[in-house]
Amino acid sequence: MSYTNHSNEDPWYVHVALYTVIAILTVILIKVAIIDPREIMEKEAYYKKEARLRMTNLKQAEILWQKKNGTFTDNLDKLIDFIKNDKFVDSIVNSIDPVTNKSSNPFVKLSHGEFTPESLYNTPKSQQRFIVKIDTTESVDSVVTPSGKLLRVEKKKVIGSRYYIEDPDGYGTVGSLDNDALKNTASWE
């Protein structure tokens, strides 16, 4: 009678290969499930913070433009050139508040630690230009005589009494074209 061993044991190298595949899949799973989402969340938080800092600086630029020119502007190129080159802006940025003895600079530092006017053109995430709009309001007034006869109708067109800044990536807005109460208000405040 012959005795044969019908063992179902696999060779050792099959086990090593399976354990190696399991280890590799575990590392990939950890990277995809834990590490990558954390990096994405950190980038998203940076984009949100940076976009809002830039829109805050655009708001301050619009306020300075309005103080000097009487209206707001929707021209981003002129606005940033104004920040960089105008003596009025320079005098405010470099002045010291006599009461608090602190800088009167209305611009906030960006995430990298300094204010850079050129950064105000584009959003940090998609590098699209910020959307800047101003309103156009037309008012009509009737001029009548004391007896009630209509003399004339006067139309007055006002451009730039309100502004609106929007981040095309969806991180917020500043101002409103419809509501004076929201003129200098950011959506995240």
Side-chain angles (χ1 to χ4, degrees):
M1 198 166 150
S2 107
Y3 222 98
T4 57
N5 189 1
H6 293 297
S7 174
N8 283 338
E9 285 188 30
D10 296 324
W12 67 271
Y13 54 85
V14 172
H15 291 281
V16 170
L18 289 174
Y19 286 129
T20 304
V21 168
I22 290 171
I24 291 171
L25 290 175
T26 303
V27 168
I28 291 171
L29 179 64
I30 289 171
K31 181 174 177 1
V32 170
I34 299 171
I35 297 171
D36 287 349
R38 185 180 306 137
E39 289 174 2
I40 291 169
M41 296 281 286
E42 288 170 358
K43 281 184 181 178
E44 199 65 26
Y46 165 77
Y47 291 142
K48 182 178 184 178
K49 178 183 176 188
E50 184 69 14
R52 290 179 173 182
L53 289 172
R54 291 179 188 190
M55 284 190 288
T56 299
N57 286 331
L58 283 171
K59 173 180 85 169
Q60 293 303 327
E62 284 282 6
I63 291 169
L64 291 176
W65 179 281
Q66 194 251 352
K67 282 182 182 177
K68 182 173 183 188
N69 300 306
T71 62
F72 295 107
T73 182
D74 62 350
N75 188 322
L76 202 51
D77 295 319
K78 285 183 181 178
L79 189 62
I80 293 171
D81 185 60
F82 171 71
I83 296 169
K84 291 170 29 179
N85 301 317
D86 195 272
K87 290 179 183 178
F88 172 73
V89 174
D90 189 53
S91 69
I92 291 174
V93 167
N94 295 318
S95 67
I96 302 292
D97 185 347
V99 175
T100 63
N101 208 22
K102 293 183 180 179
S103 173
S104 295
N105 186 353
F107 300 109
V108 295
K109 293 179 181 177
L110 302 176
S111 296
H112 65 282
E114 60 184 53
F115 170 64
T116 315
E118 293 79 13
S119 69
L120 302 181
Y121 285 108
N122 301 323
T123 64
K125 185 175 183 178
S126 66
Q127 294 300 308
Q128 293 182 41
R129 285 179 77 107
F130 283 102
I131 299 165
V132 180
K133 299 177 182 178
I134 58 172
D135 71 328
T136 303
T137 307
E138 191 172 293
S139 61
V140 179
D141 191 18
S142 302
V143 179
V144 293
T145 64
S147 62
K149 183 179 177 189
L150 180 66
L151 288 176
R152 66 184 175 277
V153 176
E154 293 179 351
K155 288 186 178 183
K156 184 178 179 185
K157 194 176 209 178
V158 178
I159 299 173
S161 62
R162 295 184 205 108
Y163 70 94
Y164 176 77
I165 302 168
E166 180 181 351
D167 180 354
D169 295 328
Y171 294 120
T173 62
V174 177
S176 171
L177 297 177
D178 306 320
N179 190 342
D180 278 335
L182 300 175
K183 186 186 282 186
N184 292 319
T185 305
S187 62
W188 60 91
E189 292 176 337

